[in-house]
Amino acid sequence: MLFIKILVLILLIVSILFAFIFFNLYNFLAKNSPIIADVDVLVVEGWLPDYAIEAAMKEFQVGNYKKIITIGSNLPRGSHLSNYKTFASLAGATLVTLGLDPEKLLIVSTSYVPECRTQNAANGLKDHLANTDNSIQSINVFTLGPHARRTWLVFRKVFPPQTQVGIIAAEPFGYDPERWWQTSEGVRTVVGEFIAYLYQKVSL
């Protein structure tokens, strides 16, 4: 009897822990930890949907940023029909259309890689800044929902310790973040990002 009671208690504890992790998974992944004061640039991941690009534009307008940088690799489809061959250039052009002063825009495109695209973009940005502008000491990275914690992890690993890195997560429109498990898009995105985060955590 004692063994059964202990087993039931263990199962209860495990169930409670699983439920806690499950219902808080989105909030864990959609990390918001921006640098508030004296931040140099806002870095925008170029693959973001238009509504997130619009949110990034609003963030740039209210923040005390010197410039905005778009990053990203080659478009996987449609590049033959577009003047913009990379996510970085497409996002940059979108921001200018939304009213951004082109003088405050820097586009940093990287080559396409099938894996670790976030790390590839972060490395490309770090190398570009090292060769062109060593004055940048703080950045906020603007991304989407549950991709944020992985992006933040990658950028903090790639950039040197003296560079402050903040993260801002736009809220997705495709599903309710508070009930992400009720839609296929929410499940694919949140569970996929959690697996990708764990992979990135052990591989860096």
Side-chain angles (χ1 to χ4, degrees):
M1 286 294 294
L2 179 60
F3 173 76
I4 295 176
K5 289 181 179 179
I6 293 175
L7 181 60
V8 170
L9 180 60
I10 292 173
L11 290 175
L12 179 60
I13 293 172
V14 170
S15 298
I16 293 172
L17 287 174
F18 176 80
F20 177 80
I21 292 172
F22 182 85
F23 289 112
N24 288 280
L25 188 56
Y26 176 87
N27 290 330
F28 171 77
L29 294 171
K31 178 70 174 179
N32 271 292
S33 183
I35 301 168
I36 303 301
D38 299 323
V39 58
D40 293 323
V41 298
L42 180 67
V43 177
V44 178
E45 294 200 274
W47 57 266
L48 299 181
D50 286 346
Y51 67 84
I53 298 293
E54 293 171 6
M57 181 67 178
K58 292 178 182 177
E59 167 63 23
F60 182 77
Q61 290 171 335
V62 300
N64 188 29
Y65 298 98
K66 298 176 182 177
K67 65 176 63 175
I68 190 168
I69 303 175
T70 56
I71 58 174
S73 61
N74 305 68
L75 297 176
R77 71 186 292 263
S79 62
H80 298 297
L81 305 176
S82 173
N83 293 326
Y84 311 105
K85 307 303 181 184
T86 68
F87 284 114
S89 59
L90 180 60
T94 302
L95 287 166
V96 171
T97 300
L98 291 172
L100 178 69
D101 180 357
E103 294 296 321
K104 295 183 178 181
L105 172 67
L106 174 62
I107 297 172
V108 179
S109 298
T110 53
S111 299
Y112 173 80
V113 293
E115 298 178 356
C116 301
R117 286 170 291 181
T118 300
Q119 185 170 348
N120 183 57
N123 280 323
L125 177 59
K126 183 192 71 172
D127 293 341
H128 181 89
L129 294 179
N131 293 325
T132 61
D133 190 350
N134 287 317
S135 66
I136 294 176
Q137 297 297 315
S138 57
I139 63 174
N140 275 334
V141 185
F142 197 96
T143 188
L144 182 63
H147 189 66
R149 186 169 287 274
R150 179 158 60 103
T151 296
W152 196 38
L153 172 68
V154 169
F155 270 79
R156 286 189 297 164
K157 289 288 186 179
V158 166
F159 278 80
Q162 62 268 27
T163 302
Q164 293 181 286
V165 178
I167 189 73
I168 301 172
E171 185 171 307
F173 282 3
Y175 57 93
D176 183 354
E178 298 300 321
R179 295 178 175 82
W180 58 266
W181 58 88
Q182 294 182 348
T183 63
S184 59
E185 182 178 351
V187 171
R188 287 197 306 270
T189 303
V190 175
V191 174
E193 284 294 346
F194 181 61
I195 294 171
Y197 169 74
L198 293 178
Y199 173 80
Q200 200 81 61
K201 188 76 172 177
V202 300
S203 63
L204 281 177

